[in-house]
């Protein structure tokens, strides 16, 4: 393994681009290969076995490309099979989970809404995370599967649609009684500004992207494969073969 090898990142589609944005900022000299599995998105309403089979195929492909580490930029895929992937492959695999811990650290008796996909919220991995915090805090689980479709269909700029959808998801809550909302799906991070508009200003909006990037940096440093000089690069691929999705991925990533 050497420091010039690329880092593989994947997601069910374009959500992981929000993670890649953070990675690029923190690790500007690294070479990234981003693989969006839009042909099989969304993962969040699929069976675990189907998601696992996709993840194995994608990891095999990324390893063939010579990656030195893999970031699963998807909470759903992580819930479905991170342990299995770590057993199967010897390279470092970084997973993601809803940043409930960060929300709980904001103070005592926090009232927290965790948004994620249906699969993330029903898996054992999240149940274990809940167990750690549910006695001390009040935690609400809110699945938001339609937000994934809005990103995949390039509808993020459709303000009316987005606000109506978010209002529908937030409707059950008395927002004046909420301390934090956790964006537990990488697609949801693209809605941060919209959430900010709809939530009282004291509500923290928390995602795990920065933490994931820091974790990757530490891991690469520990293994002595962190790339600290030269110009970095990003290659974006998508299982759909649709050039429009590559264009949309670059739009979401923003200028360099
Ligand atoms: N972006 C993914 C996540 O972080 C999953 C979205 C989906 O395909 O349902 O959970």
């Amino acid at each position: 393994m050497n420091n010039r090898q690329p880092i593989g990142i994947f997601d069910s589609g374009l959500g992981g681009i929000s993670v890649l944005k953070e990675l690029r900022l923190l690790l500007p000299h690294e070479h990234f290969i981003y693989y969006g599995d839009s042909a099989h998105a969304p993962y969040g309403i699929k069976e675990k076995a189907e998601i696992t089979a996709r993840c194995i195929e994608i990891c095999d492909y990324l390893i063939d490309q010579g990656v030195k580490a893999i970031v699963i930029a998807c909470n759903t895929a992580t819930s479905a099979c991170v342990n299995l992937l770590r057993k199967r492959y010897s390279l470092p695999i970084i997973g993601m989970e809803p940043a409930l811990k960060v929300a709980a650290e904001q103070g005592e008796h926090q009232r927290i809404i965790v948004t994620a996909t249906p699969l993330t919220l029903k898996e054992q991995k999240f149940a274990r995370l809940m167990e750690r915090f549910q006695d001390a805090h009040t935690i609400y689980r809110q699945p938001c599967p339609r937000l994934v479709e809005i990103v995949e269909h390039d509808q993020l700029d459709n303000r009316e649609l987005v606000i109506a959808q978010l209002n529908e998801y937030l409707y059950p809550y008395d927002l004046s009684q909420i301390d934090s909302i956790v964006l537990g799906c990488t697609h949801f991070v693209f809605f941060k500004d919209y959430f900010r508009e709809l939530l009282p200003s004291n509500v923290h909006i928390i995602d795990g992207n920065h933490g994931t990037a820091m974790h990757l940096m530490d891991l690469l440093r520990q293994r002595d494969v962190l790339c600290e000089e030269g110009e970095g690069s990003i290659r974006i691929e998508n299982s759909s073969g649709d050039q429009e999705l590559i264009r949309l991925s670059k739009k979401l990533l923003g200028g360099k």
Side-chain angles (χ1 to χ4, degrees), residues 11-13 15-16 41-45 73-77 117 120 145 148 184-187:
D11 176 44
S12 62
Y43 282 0
I45 52 173
C74 178
N75 296 263
T76 308
T117 66
T120 299
V148 177
C185 166
T186 52
H187 283 78

Side-chain angles (χ1 to χ4, degrees), residues 25-95:
L25 273 180
L26 199 67
L27 305 165
H29 306 291
E30 295 288 350
H31 302 279
F32 297 103
I33 302 175
Y34 181 87
Y35 190 91
D37 195 16
S38 296
H40 302 92
Y43 282 0
I45 52 173
K46 289 198 164 59
E47 293 299 318
K48 196 170 158 171
E50 195 181 342
I51 299 168
T52 304
R54 286 305 307 150
C55 292
I56 290 175
E57 203 166 306
I58 295 167
C59 288
D60 284 348
Y61 172 72
L62 290 171
I63 289 166
D64 272 356
Q65 303 303 301
V67 299
K68 61 184 173 187
I70 292 179
V71 179
I72 310 174
C74 178
N75 296 263
T76 308
T78 304
S79 317
C81 59
V82 67
N83 293 336
L84 181 144
L85 296 178
R86 287 195 178 125
K87 274 191 205 130
R88 194 178 169 103
Y89 303 105
S90 59
L91 82 177
I93 296 186
I94 289 100

Side-chain angles (χ1 to χ4, degrees), residues 93-108:
I93 296 186
I94 289 100
M96 296 190 72
E97 66 180 10
L100 180 55
K101 179 168 181 281
V102 180
E105 282 166 358
Q106 303 299 316
E108 284 179 18

